[in-house]
Amino acid sequence: MIRTIRQEEVRQSLELTQAAFAIRFSESDIEQRLPKLKMDQYLGYFVDGQLAAQLEILPLTIYVQGEKIAMGGIASVSSYPELRRQGMVGKLLVRSLAEMRERGQTVSMLNPFAYGFYRKYGWEYFSVQSLYTLELGAAPKYPTASGAVKRLRAEGWTEADRVYDNYAKRYNGMLRRDENWWLNHVFRRKLGSLAVYYAAGSGEPTGYMLYDIKDRHLNMHELVYLDLESRNGLWQFIRNHDSVVSRLKFTAPADEAFLFGMAEPKLQHELHSNFMFRVVDAAAFVKQYRFAGSAQGSVLQVSLVDEHAEWNNGVWEVSVSADGRAEAALLAGEASASGTISCSIQTLGAMLIGCQRPSQLADHGYLDGSAEAVAAWEQAIPRRISYMTDFF
């Protein structure tokens, strides 16, 4: 049986979490966790009345093309080791799609233990991000900024959030954070210090960084800036740590032009896949999505295959208005062979979230269609890449 885990079954959930992830909570840990766990967000697979597998659907919001979109964050996926490989987690994932659709969560994200496993259920990798490691002496020497950097405590999250929210809208998939997320997720996971850059003249916060220093290594959990002045000011602040720091590390989106700022670009540059993304309800998501508008509007077609959410299957006609708003209608008859692309739900998600362009997906055989049909989708999808600085 699959159903929502009841509040009185919370200890069963914690016992499963400990067994699945090989961790041990003390009784005091359990007592602290009990009132915080919202069991109405948990789906459980029960065998003979006992909890055997579970997952959590976090009610989150992300930015996609600058619009706020309700997203179901899949977390706490677990089952007892002795009951694995019986399809329980797969059935929970399929059930979660119907649950998220009913809640109006048109898309979903998760952090996978294995990409191949979740691909079977319609999720696809979400983004590629850069991890830079370099000696502090090789860091860019940008022009001196005239603003000021102030170190704040966690209570100053609102100052950082003013910067973060403007930055988040530049990418697809960034979370919309609230006070609870800042205090109980960001600052708990990214231990260290908060430094905020304030612009000269206006005094407005335009950049910030979350970082810690250990053994002469500076690890930047988040480095966020809105303009060149705040970039210059934060890097000036970083370089001023030369008495206690010799090496630094930070993560950046794939479009970060960091190498151009270095006199000698000698560093370690790694690319990492990050998170997975899925379209839960294609028609509803398209209605929320902001396409690239045109004076005359446009009509797109896609033949979509989704093995685990039958409501997404079929040939869809997407009518895009001049302002980029769209409606998707399921076609009853034959699609236009020359004007239709064909793809899986994974491929549709990858191109709408900005992880891959339609032309790239077509070149590698993940998307079928005429050159004209692919070009129409290429033109309709704005060039905004996927990126996220959070973890759940």
Side-chain angles (χ1 to χ4, degrees), residues 78-123:
S78 50
S79 63
Y80 282 105
E82 64 270 24
L83 298 176
R84 287 177 185 163
R85 294 174 177 83
Q86 298 183 32
M88 296 179 188
V89 169
K91 291 174 183 176
L92 282 172
L93 289 169
V94 173
R95 175 66 172 271
S96 75
L97 296 173
E99 293 282 337
M100 287 186 284
R101 186 189 187 211
E102 186 176 332
R103 300 174 190 181
Q105 295 162 334
T106 59
V107 296
S108 175
M109 295 177 68
L110 57 82
N111 185 38
F113 74 91
Y115 284 84
F117 175 80
Y118 289 101
R119 272 195 174 114
K120 294 185 296 185
Y121 298 98
W123 279 263

Coordinates of all heavy atoms in Angstrom, one line a residue, residues 78-123:
S78 N 14.2 6.5 0.5 CA 14.9 5.5 1.3 C 14.1 4.2 1.4 O 12.8 4.3 1.3 CB 15.2 6.0 2.7 OG 14.1 6.6 3.3
S79 N 14.7 3.1 1.5 CA 14.1 1.8 1.8 C 15.0 1.0 2.6 O 16.3 1.2 2.6 CB 13.7 1.1 0.5 OG 14.9 0.8 -0.3
Y80 N 14.5 0.0 3.3 CA 15.4 -0.9 4.1 C 16.2 -1.7 3.2 O 15.8 -2.2 2.1 CB 14.5 -1.8 5.0 CG 14.0 -1.1 6.2 CD1 12.6 -0.7 6.3 CD2 14.8 -0.8 7.3 CE1 12.1 -0.1 7.4 CE2 14.3 -0.2 8.4 CZ 13.0 0.2 8.5 OH 12.5 0.8 9.6
P81 N 17.5 -1.9 3.5 CA 18.4 -2.7 2.6 C 17.9 -4.1 2.3 O 18.0 -4.5 1.1 CB 19.7 -2.7 3.4 CG 19.7 -1.5 4.3 CD 18.2 -1.3 4.7
E82 N 17.3 -4.7 3.2 CA 16.8 -6.1 3.0 C 15.6 -6.1 2.1 O 15.2 -7.2 1.6 CB 16.5 -6.8 4.3 CG 15.3 -6.2 5.1 CD 15.8 -5.1 6.1 OE1 16.9 -4.5 5.8 OE2 15.1 -4.8 7.1
L83 N 15.0 -4.9 1.8 CA 13.8 -4.9 1.0 C 14.0 -4.2 -0.3 O 13.1 -3.9 -1.1 CB 12.6 -4.2 1.7 CG 12.1 -4.9 3.0 CD1 11.1 -4.0 3.7 CD2 11.6 -6.3 2.7
R84 N 15.3 -3.9 -0.7 CA 15.6 -3.2 -1.9 C 15.4 -4.1 -3.1 O 15.4 -5.3 -3.0 CB 17.0 -2.6 -1.8 CG 17.0 -1.4 -0.9 CD 18.4 -0.8 -0.7 NE 18.4 0.3 0.3 CZ 19.5 0.8 0.9 NH1 20.7 0.3 0.6 NH2 19.4 1.7 1.8
R85 N 15.4 -3.4 -4.3 CA 15.3 -4.1 -5.6 C 14.0 -4.9 -5.7 O 13.9 -5.9 -6.4 CB 16.5 -4.9 -5.9 CG 17.8 -4.1 -6.0 CD 19.1 -4.9 -6.2 NE 20.2 -4.0 -6.4 CZ 20.8 -3.4 -5.4 NH1 20.4 -3.5 -4.1 NH2 21.8 -2.5 -5.6
Q86 N 12.9 -4.4 -5.1 CA 11.6 -5.0 -5.2 C 10.6 -4.0 -5.9 O 9.4 -4.2 -5.9 CB 11.1 -5.4 -3.9 CG 11.9 -6.5 -3.2 CD 11.3 -7.0 -1.9 OE1 10.1 -7.0 -1.7 NE2 12.2 -7.4 -1.0
G87 N 11.2 -2.9 -6.4 CA 10.4 -1.9 -7.1 C 9.6 -0.9 -6.2 O 8.8 -0.1 -6.8
M88 N 9.8 -0.9 -4.9 CA 9.0 0.0 -4.0 C 9.3 1.4 -4.3 O 8.4 2.2 -4.4 CB 9.4 -0.4 -2.6 CG 9.0 -1.8 -2.1 SD 9.4 -2.0 -0.4 CE 9.0 -3.8 -0.3
V89 N 10.6 1.8 -4.4 CA 10.9 3.2 -4.6 C 10.4 3.7 -6.0 O 9.9 4.8 -6.1 CB 12.5 3.4 -4.5 CG1 12.8 4.8 -5.0 CG2 12.9 3.3 -3.1
G90 N 10.5 2.8 -7.0 CA 10.0 3.2 -8.3 C 8.5 3.5 -8.3 O 8.0 4.4 -8.9
K91 N 7.8 2.6 -7.5 CA 6.3 2.9 -7.4 C 6.0 4.1 -6.7 O 5.1 4.9 -7.0 CB 5.7 1.7 -6.7 CG 5.7 0.4 -7.6 CD 5.2 -0.8 -6.9 CE 5.3 -2.1 -7.8 NZ 4.8 -3.3 -7.0
L92 N 6.8 4.4 -5.7 CA 6.7 5.7 -4.9 C 6.9 6.9 -5.9 O 6.2 7.9 -5.8 CB 7.6 5.8 -3.8 CG 7.2 5.0 -2.5 CD1 8.4 5.0 -1.5 CD2 6.0 5.5 -1.9
L93 N 8.0 6.8 -6.7 CA 8.2 7.9 -7.6 C 7.1 8.1 -8.6 O 6.7 9.3 -8.9 CB 9.5 7.6 -8.4 CG 10.8 7.7 -7.6 CD1 12.0 7.1 -8.3 CD2 11.1 9.2 -7.2
V94 N 6.5 7.1 -9.1 CA 5.4 7.2 -10.1 C 4.2 7.8 -9.3 O 3.6 8.7 -9.9 CB 5.1 5.8 -10.7 CG1 3.8 5.9 -11.5 CG2 6.2 5.3 -11.5
R95 N 3.9 7.4 -8.1 CA 2.8 7.9 -7.4 C 3.1 9.4 -7.1 O 2.2 10.2 -7.1 CB 2.6 7.1 -6.1 CG 1.6 7.7 -5.1 CD 0.2 7.6 -5.7 NE -0.8 8.0 -4.6 CZ -1.3 7.1 -3.8 NH1 -1.0 5.8 -3.8 NH2 -2.2 7.5 -2.9
S96 N 4.3 9.8 -6.8 CA 4.7 11.1 -6.5 C 4.3 12.1 -7.6 O 3.9 13.2 -7.4 CB 6.1 11.3 -6.1 OG 7.0 11.2 -7.3
L97 N 4.4 11.6 -8.9 CA 4.0 12.4 -10.0 C 2.6 12.9 -10.0 O 2.2 14.0 -10.2 CB 4.3 11.7 -11.3 CG 5.8 11.4 -11.6 CD1 6.0 10.5 -12.8 CD2 6.6 12.6 -11.8
A98 N 1.7 11.9 -9.7 CA 0.3 12.2 -9.6 C 0.0 13.2 -8.4 O -0.8 14.1 -8.5 CB -0.5 10.9 -9.4
E99 N 0.7 12.9 -7.3 CA 0.6 13.8 -6.1 C 1.0 15.2 -6.4 O 0.3 16.2 -6.1 CB 1.4 13.3 -5.0 CG 0.9 11.9 -4.4 CD -0.3 12.0 -3.5 OE1 -0.5 13.1 -3.0 OE2 -1.0 11.0 -3.4
M100 N 2.2 15.4 -7.1 CA 2.7 16.7 -7.4 C 1.7 17.4 -8.4 O 1.5 18.6 -8.3 CB 4.1 16.6 -8.0 CG 5.1 16.3 -6.9 SD 6.8 16.3 -7.5 CE 7.0 14.8 -8.4
R101 N 1.2 16.7 -9.4 CA 0.3 17.3 -10.4 C -0.9 17.8 -9.6 O -1.4 18.9 -9.9 CB -0.1 16.2 -11.4 CG -0.9 16.8 -12.5 CD -1.4 15.7 -13.4 NE -2.1 16.3 -14.6 CZ -3.1 15.7 -15.2 NH1 -3.6 14.5 -14.8 NH2 -3.7 16.2 -16.3
E102 N -1.4 17.0 -8.7 CA -2.6 17.4 -8.0 C -2.4 18.7 -7.1 O -3.2 19.5 -6.9 CB -3.1 16.3 -7.1 CG -4.4 16.6 -6.4 CD -4.9 15.4 -5.6 OE1 -4.6 14.2 -5.9 OE2 -5.6 15.6 -4.6
R103 N -1.1 18.8 -6.6 CA -0.8 20.0 -5.8 C -0.4 21.2 -6.7 O 0.0 22.2 -6.1 CB 0.4 19.6 -4.9 CG 0.1 18.5 -3.9 CD 1.3 18.1 -3.1 NE 1.1 16.8 -2.4 CZ 2.0 16.3 -1.6 NH1 3.2 16.8 -1.4 NH2 1.7 15.2 -1.0
G104 N -0.4 21.1 -8.0 CA 0.0 22.2 -8.8 C 1.5 22.4 -9.0 O 2.0 23.4 -9.5
Q105 N 2.3 21.4 -8.6 CA 3.7 21.4 -8.8 C 4.0 20.8 -10.2 O 4.1 19.6 -10.4 CB 4.4 20.6 -7.7 CG 4.2 21.2 -6.3 CD 4.4 20.2 -5.2 OE1 4.4 19.0 -5.3 NE2 4.8 20.7 -4.0
T106 N 4.2 21.7 -11.2 CA 4.3 21.3 -12.5 C 5.7 20.7 -12.9 O 5.8 20.1 -14.0 CB 4.0 22.5 -13.5 OG1 4.9 23.6 -13.2 CG2 2.6 23.0 -13.3
V107 N 6.7 20.9 -12.0 CA 8.0 20.4 -12.3 C 8.5 19.8 -11.0 O 8.0 20.1 -9.9 CB 9.0 21.5 -12.8 CG1 8.5 22.0 -14.2 CG2 9.1 22.6 -11.9
S108 N 9.6 19.0 -11.1 CA 10.2 18.4 -10.0 C 11.7 18.4 -10.1 O 12.2 18.3 -11.2 CB 9.7 17.0 -9.8 OG 10.4 16.3 -8.8
M109 N 12.4 18.4 -9.0 CA 13.9 18.3 -9.0 C 14.3 17.3 -7.8 O 13.6 17.2 -6.9 CB 14.5 19.7 -8.8 CG 14.3 20.6 -9.9 SD 15.0 22.3 -9.7 CE 16.7 21.9 -9.7
L110 N 15.5 16.7 -8.0 CA 16.0 15.9 -7.0 C 17.5 15.8 -7.1 O 18.1 16.0 -8.2 CB 15.4 14.5 -7.0 CG 15.4 13.7 -8.3 CD1 16.8 12.9 -8.5 CD2 14.3 12.7 -8.4
N111 N 18.2 15.4 -6.0 CA 19.6 15.1 -6.0 C 19.8 13.6 -6.0 O 19.6 13.0 -5.1 CB 20.3 15.8 -4.8 CG 21.8 15.7 -4.8 OD1 22.4 15.8 -5.9 ND2 22.4 15.4 -3.7
P112 N 20.3 13.1 -7.2 CA 20.3 11.6 -7.3 C 21.5 10.9 -6.6 O 22.6 11.4 -6.5 CB 20.4 11.4 -8.8 CG 21.2 12.6 -9.3 CD 20.9 13.7 -8.4
F113 N 21.2 9.7 -6.2 CA 22.4 8.8 -5.8 C 22.9 8.1 -7.1 O 24.1 7.7 -7.1 CB 21.9 7.8 -4.8 CG 21.1 6.6 -5.4 CD1 21.7 5.5 -5.8 CD2 19.7 6.7 -5.5 CE1 20.9 4.4 -6.4 CE2 18.9 5.7 -6.0 CZ 19.5 4.6 -6.5
A114 N 22.1 8.0 -8.1 CA 22.5 7.4 -9.4 C 21.6 8.0 -10.5 O 20.4 7.8 -10.4 CB 22.4 5.9 -9.4
Y115 N 22.2 8.7 -11.4 CA 21.4 9.4 -12.5 C 20.7 8.3 -13.3 O 19.5 8.6 -13.7 CB 22.4 10.2 -13.4 CG 22.8 11.5 -12.8 CD1 23.9 11.5 -11.9 CD2 22.2 12.7 -13.0 CE1 24.3 12.7 -11.3 CE2 22.6 13.9 -12.5 CZ 23.6 13.9 -11.6 OH 24.0 15.1 -11.0
G116 N 21.3 7.2 -13.6 CA 20.6 6.2 -14.4 C 19.3 5.7 -13.8 O 18.3 5.4 -14.5
F117 N 19.3 5.6 -12.5 CA 18.1 5.1 -11.8 C 16.9 6.0 -12.0 O 15.8 5.6 -12.4 CB 18.3 4.9 -10.3 CG 17.1 4.5 -9.5 CD1 16.7 3.2 -9.5 CD2 16.3 5.4 -8.8 CE1 15.5 2.8 -8.8 CE2 15.2 5.1 -8.1 CZ 14.8 3.7 -8.1
Y118 N 17.1 7.3 -11.8 CA 16.0 8.3 -11.9 C 15.7 8.6 -13.3 O 14.5 9.1 -13.6 CB 16.4 9.6 -11.1 CG 16.3 9.3 -9.6 CD1 17.5 9.2 -8.9 CD2 15.1 9.3 -8.9 CE1 17.5 8.9 -7.5 CE2 15.1 9.0 -7.6 CZ 16.3 8.9 -6.9 OH 16.3 8.6 -5.5
R119 N 16.6 8.4 -14.3 CA 16.3 8.6 -15.7 C 15.1 7.7 -16.1 O 14.3 8.1 -16.9 CB 17.5 8.4 -16.5 CG 18.4 9.6 -16.7 CD 19.4 9.3 -17.9 NE 20.1 10.5 -18.2 CZ 21.4 10.7 -18.0 NH1 22.1 9.7 -17.5 NH2 22.0 11.8 -18.4
K120 N 15.1 6.5 -15.5 CA 14.0 5.5 -15.9 C 12.7 6.1 -15.6 O 11.7 5.6 -16.1 CB 14.3 4.2 -15.1 CG 15.5 3.5 -15.5 CD 15.6 2.1 -14.8 CE 15.7 2.3 -13.3 NZ 15.9 1.0 -12.6
Y121 N 12.6 7.0 -14.7 CA 11.3 7.6 -14.2 C 11.0 9.0 -14.7 O 10.1 9.7 -14.3 CB 11.2 7.5 -12.7 CG 11.3 6.1 -12.2 CD1 12.5 5.5 -11.8 CD2 10.2 5.2 -12.3 CE1 12.6 4.2 -11.4 CE2 10.3 3.9 -11.9 CZ 11.5 3.4 -11.4 OH 11.6 2.1 -11.1
G122 N 11.8 9.4 -15.7 CA 11.5 10.7 -16.4 C 12.4 11.9 -16.0 O 12.2 13.0 -16.6
W123 N 13.2 11.7 -14.9 CA 14.1 12.9 -14.6 C 15.3 12.9 -15.5 O 15.8 11.8 -15.9 CB 14.5 12.7 -13.1 CG 13.5 13.2 -12.1 CD1 13.5 14.5 -11.5 CD2 12.4 12.5 -11.6 NE1 12.4 14.6 -10.6 CE2 11.7 13.4 -10.7 CE3 11.9 11.2 -11.8 CZ2 10.6 13.0 -9.9 CZ3 10.7 10.8 -11.1 CH2 10.1 11.7 -10.2

